[in-house]
């Protein structure tokens, strides 16, 4: 089936979400570039606000670069106990939702594991009552428990991270039974949607291409179909190297007087892997299988890396595949579990303000946010930007 037909069918299931996706793409491709070239670090209205509800997580995924519970001081992923206990009061989030109601940016909820935030369902209901589109990115462990409440909340888009068939997924996630639990949860949601004659939340299976699942990437088509998913999306491993990490840390200290160490858990040097070519070839084969697939399921890659450039993605971190400038800082913003507002998702070393102290819009175009955009414009990219999901914001291609 033609990819455009697949996308049209997907858009029909939730027109409001599709409209917001188009609006965000337009902002990134056109309006953000106008902000970039003609304004002095200020940005027009944000099209997406991404709230990291909690740093806590109930899994230990092998490819994840976020700090995790259970590590000790000196380990790359260590953070103190209070880091995982951070949480913004629901009333503060409601104030932000009310403030931005005249814009209605897309609301993206993530973590850690977002369902560990106790009032997540009330936050969804409150946002939907103000006509927001709301997405959640989850590991799926709580879907069975909250299936009916999720459907009845009006949630638009449920993104579930899956790494492959059951054995592969459980091995990557670090806990047996995770695949079975998320499967039961998704199928329960699908059944409730049928009972209530609802088309959403859309169910999107998201796979991350990693050294741990490279032989079973295409098998996710079968998994997604089994779960009656609406689409299948693949991201690549986000990482940095020691060389670029140190350069980033030095630059952040010189320019922003900030001790930037968030890159450390994301540091990897895949070129030293003695099995690297075997893994590159495996990913290449799987990408070709995806491209040749005749499935009716909408399948997308972000970014779209051609099979013959897999090795380049991992070994030449300075190759950004045409993405030499980041416009994301004019399009979206991130709120951390303590209320801090930052331009960057995975490397939140520079804080522009806190929603518990100031309004979101005053932070969005405040002095610190403007300085970040201006400095980024001078350099086009910072050293930590080369393998960041936001750099490839508009590079989502259906195959």
């Amino acid at each position: 089936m033609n990819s455009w037909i697949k996308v049209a069918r997907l858009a029909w299931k939730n027109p409001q979400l599709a409209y917001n996706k188009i609006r965000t793409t337009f902002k990134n491709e056109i309006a953000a570039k106008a902000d970039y070239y003609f304004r002095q670090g200020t940005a027009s209205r944000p099209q997406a606000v991404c709230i990291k509800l909690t740093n806590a997580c109930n899994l230990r995924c092998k490819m994840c670069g976020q700090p995790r519970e259970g590590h000790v001081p000196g380990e790359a992923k260590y953070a103190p106990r209070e880091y995982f206990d951070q949480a913004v009061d629901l009333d503060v989030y409601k104030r932000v939702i009310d403030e931005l109601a005249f814009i209605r940016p897309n609301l993206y909820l993530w973590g850690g594991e977002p369902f560990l935030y106790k009032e997540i369902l009330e936050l969804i209901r409150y946002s939907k009552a103000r006509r927001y589109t709301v997405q959640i990115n989850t590991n799926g462990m709580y879907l069975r428990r909250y299936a009916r409440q999720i459907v009845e909340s009006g949630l638009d888009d449920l993104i579930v991270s899956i790494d492959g068939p059951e054995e592969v997924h459980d091995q990557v996630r670090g806990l047996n039974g995770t695949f079975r639990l998320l499967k039961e949860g998704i199928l329960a949601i699908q059944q409730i949607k049928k009972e209530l004659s609802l088309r959403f939340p859309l169910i999107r299976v998201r796979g991350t291409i990693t050294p741990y699942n490279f032989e079973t990437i295409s098998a996710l088509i079968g998994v997604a179909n089994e779960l009656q998913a609406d689409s299948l999306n693949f991201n690549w491993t986000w990482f940095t190297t020691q060389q670029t990490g140190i350069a980033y840390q030095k630059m952040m200290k010189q320019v922003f007087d900030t001790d930037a160490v968030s890159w450390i858990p994301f540091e990897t040097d895949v070129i030293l892997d003695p099995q690297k070519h075997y893994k590159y070839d495996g990913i290449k084969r799987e990408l070709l299988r995806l491209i040749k697939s005749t499935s009716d399921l909408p399948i997308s890659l972000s970014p779209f890396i051609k099979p013959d450039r897999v090795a380049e993605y991992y070994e030449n971190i300075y190759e950004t595949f045409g993405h030499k400038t980041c416009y994301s800082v004019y399009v979206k913003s991130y709120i951390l579990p303590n209320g801090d507002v930052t331009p960057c998702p995975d490397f939140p070393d520079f804080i522009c303000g806190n929603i518990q102290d100031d309004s979101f819009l005053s932070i969005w175009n405040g002095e610190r946010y403007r300085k970040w955009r201006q400095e980024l414009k001078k350099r086009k990219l910072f050293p930590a930007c080369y393998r960041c999901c936001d750099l490839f914001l508009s590079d989502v291609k259906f195959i």
Side-chain angles (χ1 to χ4, degrees):
M1 182 183 296
N2 184 284
S3 61
W4 285 106
I5 297 176
K6 296 179 187 179
V7 174
R9 288 173 55 186
L10 183 63
W12 174 81
K13 293 180 179 180
N14 192 326
Q16 185 183 6
L17 181 65
Y19 169 74
N20 253 8
K21 289 292 185 182
I22 293 170
R23 192 170 68 160
T24 300
T25 301
F26 173 83
K27 176 69 182 288
N28 190 69
E29 289 295 302
I30 298 175
K33 293 179 182 178
D35 290 346
Y36 177 86
Y37 287 109
F38 301 114
R39 306 179 76 173
Q40 300 302 311
T42 60
S44 48
R45 299 171 178 179
Q47 295 302 316
V49 174
C50 308
I51 301 178
K52 188 178 186 184
L53 292 171
T54 178
N55 292 312
C57 189
N58 49 358
L59 297 181
R60 302 293 179 270
C61 306
K62 292 185 176 181
M63 70 292 189
C64 181
Q66 294 189 41
R68 287 276 71 93
E69 299 95 318
H71 289 274
V72 299
E75 294 181 341
K77 295 184 181 180
Y78 168 77
R81 179 66 252 174
E82 55 267 26
Y83 174 82
F84 303 104
D85 293 335
Q86 292 174 350
V88 172
D89 189 83
L90 177 63
D91 287 339
V92 177
Y93 286 140
K94 287 182 176 180
R95 189 172 68 232
V96 174
I97 298 302
D98 291 341
E99 178 191 0
L100 299 177
F102 75 104
I103 304 172
R104 289 202 302 275
N106 184 66
L107 193 64
Y108 181 85
L109 306 178
W110 65 303
E113 169 46 48
F115 279 98
L116 289 173
Y117 181 75
K118 294 180 180 180
E119 296 178 292
I120 184 173
L121 290 162
E122 176 57 26
L123 177 58
I124 297 169
R125 288 190 287 265
Y126 191 86
S127 302
K128 289 303 302 177
R130 279 141 188 82
R131 299 174 58 201
Y132 280 72
T133 55
V134 185
Q135 299 175 282
I136 291 180
N137 191 341
T138 175
N139 62 31
M141 295 297 95
Y142 288 89
L143 297 183
R144 186 177 67 179
R145 180 185 300 181
Y146 299 120
R148 183 166 294 277
Q149 294 177 69
I150 289 170
V151 176
E152 293 177 345
S153 72
L155 179 69
D156 294 279
D157 194 18
L158 184 64
I159 305 166
V160 186
S161 299
I162 304 179
D163 300 299
E166 183 170 1
E167 183 178 344
V168 174
H169 179 82
D170 286 0
Q171 192 262 342
V172 173
R173 298 280 148 168
L175 182 66
N176 290 334
T178 56
F179 184 90
R180 175 185 55 79
L181 195 56
L182 73 83
K183 178 181 177 180
E184 291 174 357
I186 291 175
L187 293 180
I189 288 173
Q190 300 287 31
Q191 181 59 38
I192 294 167
K193 284 166 59 178
K194 290 179 182 178
E195 291 175 8
L196 300 178
S197 300
L198 295 174
R199 295 197 300 264
F200 50 86
L202 300 182
I203 304 294
R204 191 193 321 175
V205 170
R206 173 171 290 170
T208 300
I209 300 171
T210 76
Y212 309 107
N213 69 344
F214 69 96
E215 293 181 300
T216 59
I217 294 168
S218 64
L220 273 173
I221 296 176
V223 171
N225 283 325
E226 181 183 7
L227 298 176
Q228 306 164 37
D230 296 287
S231 68
L232 173 60
N233 168 249
F234 289 95
N235 285 341
W236 294 76
T237 311
W238 310 121
F239 67 95
T240 190
T241 64
Q242 187 175 73
Q243 180 181 6
T244 53
I246 292 173
Y248 165 73
Q249 191 170 351
K250 182 179 179 180
M251 183 276 298
M252 289 292 289
K253 187 65 177 178
Q254 290 176 341
V255 178
F256 299 108
D257 193 26
T258 298
D259 294 320
V261 296
S262 63
W263 65 272
I264 295 176
F266 290 87
E267 187 266 324
T268 184
D269 202 345
V270 293
I271 63 173
L272 300 180
D273 186 345
Q275 292 187 307
K276 62 180 181 179
H277 292 297
Y278 168 66
K279 293 177 180 178
Y280 297 157
D281 288 343
I283 293 173
K284 179 179 178 179
R285 286 193 302 270
E286 290 295 285
L287 290 180
L288 288 170
R289 287 172 180 157
L290 289 177
I291 293 170
K292 294 177 181 179
S293 169
T294 58
S295 173
D296 289 344
L297 191 71
I299 303 172
S300 62
L301 286 170
S302 175
F304 185 76
I305 306 297
K306 294 181 179 179
D308 60 358
R309 302 192 73 182
V310 169
E312 193 173 8
Y313 177 84
Y314 288 107
E315 294 198 352
N316 182 7
I317 197 170
Y318 301 103
E319 172 54 63
T320 56
F321 304 93
H323 300 271
K324 298 180 180 180
T325 304
C326 177
Y327 299 108
S328 176
V329 293
Y330 297 88
V331 178
K332 57 163 57 170
S333 188
Y334 292 85
I335 300 174
L336 302 178
N338 63 352
D340 282 345
V341 178
T342 179
C344 294
D346 290 324
F347 307 109
D349 299 294
F350 187 77
I351 303 304
C352 298
N354 191 294
I355 59 170
Q356 301 187 87
D357 303 320
D358 298 292
S359 70
F360 176 85
L361 288 177
S362 68
I363 299 170
W364 173 247
N365 275 321
E367 180 182 353
R368 289 180 66 81
Y369 230 125
R370 295 197 309 273
K371 178 177 175 62
W372 179 267
R373 295 187 185 110
Q374 289 170 332
E375 294 294 340
L376 184 59
K377 182 178 179 180
K378 289 179 185 177
R379 294 163 175 79
K380 294 189 180 294
L381 294 174
F382 295 150
C385 297
Y386 302 125
R387 291 294 178 269
C388 171
C389 57
D390 275 3
L391 179 63
F392 304 101
L393 176 63
S394 63
D395 192 11
V396 179
K397 288 186 173 60
F398 285 85
I399 57 177

